[in-house]
Structure formats: C-alpha cells, structure tokens
Amino acid sequence: MNGAHDMGGMPGDGPVEIEQNAPLFHAAWERRAMALTVAMGAHGLWNVDMSRYARENRDPLGYLEDSYYERWLYGLEVLLEENGLVTREEIAARETELSREDV
Amino acid sequence: MARHDHGAPPSDTALRVKALESLLIEKGLVDPAALDALIDTYENKVGPRNGAAVVARAWSDPAYKARLMDDATAAIAELGFTGRQGEHMVAVENTPRVHNVVVCTLCSCYPWTVLGLPPVWYKASPYRARVVKEPREVLAEFGVTLPEEVEMRVWDSTAEIRYLVLPQRPAGSDGLDEAELAELVTRNSMIGTGLALIPGAARAKTEAAE
C-alpha cells in the first residue's frame, strides 16, 4: 500500500529535529496509549501488520497531522471497533462522562 | 505540511486515552497493574544499556562477536535480551570502510530488546524521508562527518527484521573491561547516527545529540 507513511526519499522535509535530553514520553497520556496498545496486542487478535494497516489506511493529512502516539491511538481504536470490542460511540460517551467529572 | 511529531498534544487526546483505558478496564480487556508494569519496563528496564552490553561483549570477545554477526537474535538472547520487536535481529558492523545507518522509512520499526523505544526523531518524517537519500547530510546534522571514501549503507527496517549497528571500537579503549567499554556505547552509535565515545571525552557533550 502506498500512502503518507511511505516516506523514504520524499522531498520537502527540513533538518532532523534532534531534541536535547529527550524524555521517552512527552505527555502522561503517551505512556498510557503505548501500554494500552501493547497490552491489547498481547491478546493475539491482530498482528503487527494488521496494527500498521490500521494506523496507515487513512486520509494522508490525518496521518501527517497526528503525532506518533496519536497514530497508535487511531489504529487501536480502528482495531477495537473492527473486532467488536469498543465502538467509537462508547468512547465518545465515556469522554463526555469523564469531562463532566473533571469540571 | 503541518507536522507535529512531538510537542504538546491537544488536551482532548488525553481525555480520549483516559476514556479508552476506562472502557478497556471495565470490559476486562486490560489490567491496570499490567499497564503500569509495561510502562515501567519500557521506561526503566529496557533501553540502550542492553545494546551497549552486547556491543561491549562483541568488542571484548571475538567468539561472541562471530556469533553476533552470524545470528544476532541468538547472541543477544545469550545476554538475556529477548522479547517483542526483537525477534529477528541482524547486526551490521561499522569498519574504517563501511558505515551503517538504520531507519524505518515506513513507520518506526526499531530493536526494542536492545535499544528500548525509539526517539522522536527516528519516528518523524525528516529522518525517515531523508536518510535514505542523503545519509551524509543527515549524519552531519547529528554532528557526524565521515571521510568521502567510507561507504554508507542505509538499512530500512521492516516489521520483522530489526538492525543493531556494531560501532567501531574507539581508539584508546585498550585495556578497558566490558563495563567500561559499555559506557562508551551511545544509543545513536547503535543506530548509526553517532559514533562510540572516545575514552575520556566529555560524555555530556556527546550525549547532547541523543
């Protein structure tokens, strides 16, 4: 599949942005997104190729605008929905509940 | 093109993750303690120190080095480093004539068992797009300049095969034991975007590019 993720040799990029003393994660949610993805992968319902397809089979702009772990999150949500485990409606409803609690 | 491969995420992403985690816990699909353990593993236990131990052993023990070059997965497992994203390892050796660099142009394939999780730049478009086309320019951005006669070999990782660069043992490291040698092995030297440290060189300075 050719898509926005197929970046080798693509023109238009500037210098590599090398962050000094970079932390492994740049926000608390990135840790959770990584762990959720790895933990769900361990169930064996999908493999690494299916995970990548779920992350990459999307509109190019969405892929490019997402940060790395946002892409993981997008892919995880696709796989959860495809496997009938969690729907987008459930996620949206839970977000609403949680945001009410936070207020 | 708007690209933000790192930096402050929109706050609704945090909420989205929280919602997803709470649903997955409620459905019994994930265990919160297991999530904490995974985070602890990748933040504190698996990382470039594993790879540095492999490199230091290879520098010290020619028989081990031969096994590493022949079957890296098995040789790395000898030191106890096994697991996901490191099932099929290949070691590539830097010499005075050949310099190896590793990338994953399609995503972020990286040898987790020896290097941990990849840095942001490895996953971002400038490195992925450019290192296959202009490796010398990219290396210069990391502060590495190699003589023209050195052949550059860029290895594009796949979902299956993950590469570990065996950097050249630096001059002045004779007589150092494995633990001392491992201190000279930076993460970037095992990706190919850096060189091993020279003994006595200011470590802080060289680590700046990490």
Side-chain angles (χ1 to χ4, degrees), chain A:
Chain A
M1 183 182 68
N2 206 353
H5 65 285
D6 191 359
M7 289 179 170
M10 290 294 285
D13 274 295
V16 179
E17 291 178 34
I18 305 163
E19 191 184 353
Q20 312 288 324
N21 303 312
L24 202 51
F25 298 103
H26 290 74
W29 70 264
E30 290 191 349
R31 288 184 181 81
R32 308 311 289 180
M34 181 281 292
L36 287 171
T37 302
V38 173
M40 285 308 302
H43 288 298
L45 295 169
W46 49 80
N47 63 26
V48 66
D49 302 304
M50 293 159 79
S51 299
R52 284 199 34 212
Y53 187 74
R55 285 173 205 161
E56 294 162 2
N57 181 33
R58 59 185 289 196
D59 73 290
L61 201 59
Y63 176 89
L64 293 172
E65 288 189 340
D66 265 3
S67 71
Y68 182 72
Y69 284 110
E70 284 173 326
R71 289 174 193 156
W72 276 37
L73 187 59
Y74 176 93
L76 180 59
E77 287 172 356
V78 168
L79 291 167
L80 291 171
E81 180 137 50
E82 283 177 0
N83 284 271
L85 299 173
V86 181
T87 65
R88 291 189 189 279
E89 290 72 28
E90 284 179 288
I91 298 169
R94 184 57 54 94
E95 282 186 44
T96 307
E97 282 171 40
L98 291 172
S99 58
R100 282 199 194 115
E101 283 171 22
D102 286 345
V103 172

Side-chain angles (χ1 to χ4, degrees), chain B residues 9-181:
Chain B
S11 59
D12 62 353
T13 305
L15 182 62
R16 201 169 131 207
V17 175
K18 206 171 158 188
L20 192 57
E21 179 171 346
S22 115
L23 284 165
L24 291 174
I25 290 169
E26 191 176 281
K27 289 169 186 267
L29 289 164
V30 297
D31 168 8
L35 298 177
D36 292 338
L38 273 168
I39 292 165
D40 180 52
T41 295
Y42 288 105
E43 273 198 313
N44 303 312
K45 294 181 180 141
V46 179
R49 291 302 94 209
N50 289 4
V54 170
V55 170
R57 174 69 55 87
W59 284 346
S60 307
D61 178 350
Y64 181 79
K65 182 185 160 189
R67 293 200 295 282
L68 181 70
M69 301 314 295
D70 180 55
D71 181 350
T73 313
I76 289 166
E78 285 181 38
L79 301 194
F81 309 137
T82 60
R84 58 170 73 89
Q85 315 291 333
E87 294 94 341
H88 304 283
M89 291 292 309
V90 170
V92 288
E93 183 185 10
N94 285 349
T95 69
R97 294 176 180 205
V98 175
H99 184 85
N100 296 281
V101 188
V102 180
V103 64
C104 176
T105 61
L106 289 171
C107 50
S108 53
C109 298
Y110 192 72
W112 287 17
T113 48
V114 281
L115 298 185
L117 298 176
V120 169
W121 58 259
Y122 186 86
K123 305 179 287 194
S125 59
Y127 184 74
R128 286 162 58 187
R130 292 177 51 226
V131 76
V132 289
K133 196 167 62 176
E134 42 183 21
R136 288 178 190 277
E137 287 80 353
V138 170
L139 285 195
E141 289 162 23
F142 285 90
V144 176
T145 307
L146 296 167
E148 270 304 306
E149 61 270 23
V150 175
E151 180 193 336
M152 304 291 300
R153 291 185 188 163
V154 182
W155 300 86
D156 198 354
S157 311
T158 70
E160 285 79 34
I161 297 179
R162 309 297 166 97
Y163 298 94
L164 176 71
V165 173
L166 178 58
Q168 288 190 75
R169 182 171 174 160
S173 63
D174 293 351
L176 298 185
D177 65 24
E178 274 186 44
E180 291 165 328
L181 287 171

